[in-house]
């Protein structure tokens, strides 16, 4: 492992949903394979590994999907109240063509057979597993200096047909993947005023939902900084 790669804490802090920062250069095959291997090492319910990865680089396919997403963006914009539509207008939602590489992550509910250990009472754990693979991919890409943008403005049936997914296999995400000029320090949705994040202290509860008991504000960012100090 190269010593100049980021620690996992640094990658978590630096990771962004990339839209406008792609350089246009392709991800080299060796780096792409490392990133996909990291995704494939994700934990999965019953060790079912229900994901597959379709790597798309054909320019015609990228353009066709970008046009489809643009149509869905217009539909969303037109359904917003005027004030929210004005806030949404300058927000870029994809970098499909600019990134040069799309990775479609799919989910196969039948992977692992009819009795998947751990999925009997919570069937959603199968999809959760595919999302864990996406998170692994995203953090590995960030450590490599590669940007990732998750596109969700699409009709699932259209995307399944576009990349030839067999019946019963559903798309979970189209990921735009490519080298970037930089990672934004503030997420786009905060920078453009769509929605801000909330502090960890509002998300942590003691014993029951809403339960309190912290003596003081938890040392969130300071603790993470200390963990990553060489």
């Amino acid at each position: 492992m190269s010593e100049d790669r980021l620690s996992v804490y640094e990658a978590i802090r630096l990771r962004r949903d990339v839209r406008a920062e792609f350089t246009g250069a392709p991800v080299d095959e060796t780096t792409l394979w490392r990133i996909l291997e990291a995704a494939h090492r994700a934990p999965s319910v019953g060790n079912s590994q229900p994901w597959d990865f379709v790597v798309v680089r054909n320019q015609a396919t990228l353009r066709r999907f970008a046009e489809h997403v643009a149509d869905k963006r217009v539909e969303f914009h037109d359904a917003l109240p005027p004030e929210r539509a004005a806030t949404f207008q300058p927000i870029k939602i994809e970098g499909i063509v600019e990134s040069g590489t799309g990775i479609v992550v799919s989910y196969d509910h039948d992977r692992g057979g009819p009795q998947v250990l751990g999925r009997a009472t919570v069937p959603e754990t199968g999809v959760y597993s595919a999302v864990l693979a996406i998170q692994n991919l995203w953090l590995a890409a960030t450590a490599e200096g590669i940007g990732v943008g998750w596109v969700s403005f699409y009709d699932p049936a259209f995307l399944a047909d576009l990349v030839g997914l067999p019946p019963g296999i559903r798309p979970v995400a189209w990921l735009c993947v490519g080298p970037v000029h930089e990672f934004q320090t503030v997420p786009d949705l905060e920078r453009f005023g769509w929605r801000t994040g909330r502090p960890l202290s509002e998300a942590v509860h003691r014993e029951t939902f809403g339960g309190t008991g912290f003596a003081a504000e938890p040392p969130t960012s300071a603790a993470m900084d200390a963990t990553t100090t060489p």
Side-chain angles (χ1 to χ4, degrees):
M1 179 66 73
S2 172
E3 293 183 359
D4 61 357
R5 292 212 183 105
L6 303 178
S7 75
V8 65
Y9 284 102
E10 290 168 328
I12 289 169
R13 185 165 52 246
L14 185 62
R15 183 212 58 82
R16 289 290 176 266
D17 200 351
V18 176
R19 308 298 183 188
E21 291 77 25
F22 292 110
T23 66
V27 185
D28 69 86
E29 289 292 322
T30 301
T31 302
L32 178 62
W33 196 257
R34 272 199 305 269
I35 292 168
L36 290 171
E37 183 178 21
H40 194 57
R41 289 181 179 273
S44 63
V45 63
N47 201 28
S48 57
Q49 297 182 304
W51 50 69
D52 284 278
F53 310 104
V54 182
V55 179
V56 181
R57 283 179 162 166
N58 180 279
Q59 287 296 308
T61 305
L62 295 175
R63 286 193 297 269
R64 186 178 174 201
F65 187 60
E67 290 167 0
H68 172 74
V69 170
D71 290 341
K72 294 300 176 183
R73 186 190 193 283
V74 170
E75 291 178 9
F76 180 74
H77 174 275
D78 291 348
L80 292 170
E83 182 178 333
R84 292 299 270 171
T87 301
F88 175 68
Q89 182 59 38
I91 298 175
K92 185 174 174 59
I93 64 165
E94 50 82 14
I96 297 164
V97 175
E98 298 92 329
S99 66
T101 301
I103 299 177
V104 178
V105 182
S106 64
Y107 168 65
D108 182 355
H109 186 76
D110 293 334
R111 184 78 49 74
Q115 290 87 35
V116 175
L117 194 157
R119 202 182 68 188
T121 58
V122 188
E124 296 87 356
T125 52
V127 176
Y128 299 163
S129 299
V131 174
L132 285 171
I134 293 170
Q135 179 77 334
N136 268 24
L137 184 155
W138 211 330
L139 294 179
T142 302
E144 297 276 2
I146 302 297
V148 176
W150 187 329
V151 181
S152 57
F153 277 73
Y154 63 82
D155 175 65
F158 177 91
L159 180 52
D161 180 68
L162 183 68
V163 298
L165 296 184
I169 296 182
R170 57 179 281 198
V172 176
W174 175 294
L175 304 175
C176 305
V177 180
V180 293
H181 296 291
E182 63 177 341
F183 290 108
Q184 291 289 345
T185 57
V186 179
D188 282 358
L189 297 189
E190 291 193 22
R191 290 194 301 120
F192 286 99
W194 180 262
R195 187 178 302 279
T196 59
R198 60 177 179 144
L200 174 62
S201 58
E202 292 183 7
V204 178
H205 311 267
R206 290 289 194 186
E207 309 299 342
T208 59
F209 194 90
T212 59
F214 287 108
E217 183 76 10
T220 52
S221 59
M224 184 173 284
D225 289 343
T227 304
T228 59
T229 301

